[in-house]
Amino acid sequence: MADLQAMADAVERGDRDAAVQTVQDALAAGLEPEQILNEGLISAMSSVGEKFRNNEVFIPEVLIAARAMNSAMGILEPKLVETGVEPRGKVVIGTVKQDLHDIGKNLVAMMLKGGGFKVIDLGVDVEPEKFVEAAKGEQAQVVAISALLTTTMPNMRAVVDALQEAGPDGVRVMIGGAPVTQAYADEIGAAGYAPDAGSAVDLVTDLIQ
Ligand code: B1M
């Protein structure tokens, strides 16, 4: 029996086994992979993102929900590829040059994947040229840069400049991280700033429209 609400509940409470089982049941019952993705998995992560923004759940809950989502996606992904379902957009993400902090960046990446985007994660200490290369190679619509140090924030500007000079047409830059602000995004010419992982999904959605 396919029960998309039970699937969403399993993801939200971070129950990996139940998330995987409910996806298997839904596929066996003949539901379309896209419906399972949108109504079961993405809706669960949207709800987690909303609660995180409202301080109703915290980082550990988000991480275990994202882990359940990833396990369920492991079952669903091959079926989505078979049916040719396209991701909602492509995002290249990384932590800026000379900065090794990746916990926030990983959360943002997980929430974006949960939101149905293809995420190309370049890791930490990423040179501006690597962002440009990946954005071009993947034809990404958004480049997302994280920084946690006041000393590495200026390296974000170098990425914006490098993309303006050599990046694919129309690529938008979003930035985030504890010391980063909207004012700083405006100052360096980034298209947007998100204060947390839930808002990052909303911002990417807006940027690619
Ligand atoms: Co570092 N560190 N650290 N550190 N560290 C801070 C950031 C610091 C504030 C601690 C302090 O002094 N109070 C301070 C920075 C001070 C400053 O710049 N003004 C600091 C320092 C100084 C350093 C070192 C220089 C220490 C040293 O060696 N002397 C050094 C630098 C290394 C380097 O990067 N080159 C260093 C090293 C480290 C560790 C390696 C030990 C470790 C990182 C481990 C890792 O990431 N794998 C570490 C940690 C863990 C921290 C603290 C304690 C926690 C950071 C964190 O993960 N927060 C931090 C102090 C603190 O914040 N309390 C600190 C949780 C995470 C979920 O939040 O990353 O803010 P955050 O992400 C949020 C939002 O900001 C947003 O969404 C996330 C979820 O809501 N967000 C985005 C983040 N990226 C986004 C991108 C987006 C959108 C939203 O779009 C692109």
Side-chain angles (χ1 to χ4, degrees):
M1 254 292 282
D3 185 344
L4 292 171
Q5 189 54 53
M7 186 185 301
D9 292 345
V11 171
E12 269 208 67
R13 66 173 189 276
D15 185 339
R16 260 203 287 199
D17 292 344
V20 166
Q21 187 60 55
T22 48
V23 169
Q24 282 167 339
D25 291 347
L27 288 170
L31 262 66
E32 288 299 324
E34 195 171 4
Q35 188 188 1
I36 299 173
L37 178 69
N38 290 329
E39 294 174 26
L41 302 180
I42 291 182
S43 80
M45 287 309 288
S46 304
S47 167
V48 172
E50 180 71 23
K51 288 180 180 167
F52 181 57
R53 258 197 311 277
N54 296 333
N55 293 322
E56 291 167 40
V57 299
F58 299 96
I59 291 165
E61 285 99 325
V62 177
L63 287 173
I64 60 165
R67 196 183 56 176
M69 164 94 186
N70 284 338
S71 297
M73 277 303 287
I75 309 291
L76 199 59
E77 237 161 17
K79 309 286 175 197
L80 288 167
V81 172
E82 274 170 31
T83 52
V85 173
E86 292 289 326
R88 290 172 67 200
K90 290 185 196 167
V91 182
V92 167
I93 193 168
T95 301
V96 78
K97 187 178 168 188
Q98 290 172 337
D99 197 323
L100 303 176
H101 296 83
D102 68 357
I103 298 170
K105 184 265 295 169
N106 291 345
L107 262 180
V108 173
M110 282 180 189
M111 293 300 289
L112 288 173
K113 282 184 195 164
F117 295 97
K118 179 175 179 190
V119 177
I120 302 98
D121 188 346
L122 304 180
V124 297
D125 189 18
V126 182
E127 300 273 349
E129 298 72 30
K130 290 274 174 214
F131 282 107
V132 173
E133 215 173 273
K136 273 183 167 167
E138 295 285 343
Q139 285 299 305
Q141 291 98 335
V142 176
V143 169
I145 323 165
S146 181
L148 260 288
L149 299 171
T150 46
T151 51
T152 58
M153 276 171 64
N155 296 334
M156 292 177 141
R157 187 194 289 271
V159 181
V160 173
D161 292 348
L163 283 164
Q164 257 164 18
E165 207 158 287
D169 283 346
V171 68
R172 318 293 304 277
V173 178
M174 64 178 277
I175 62 174
V180 178
T181 60
Q182 180 63 53
Y184 189 66
D186 296 341
E187 185 189 320
I188 66 172
Y193 153 76
D196 56 58
S199 319
V201 178
D202 296 339
L203 177 59
V204 172
T205 305
D206 289 347
L207 290 177
I208 66 171
Q209 270 168 6

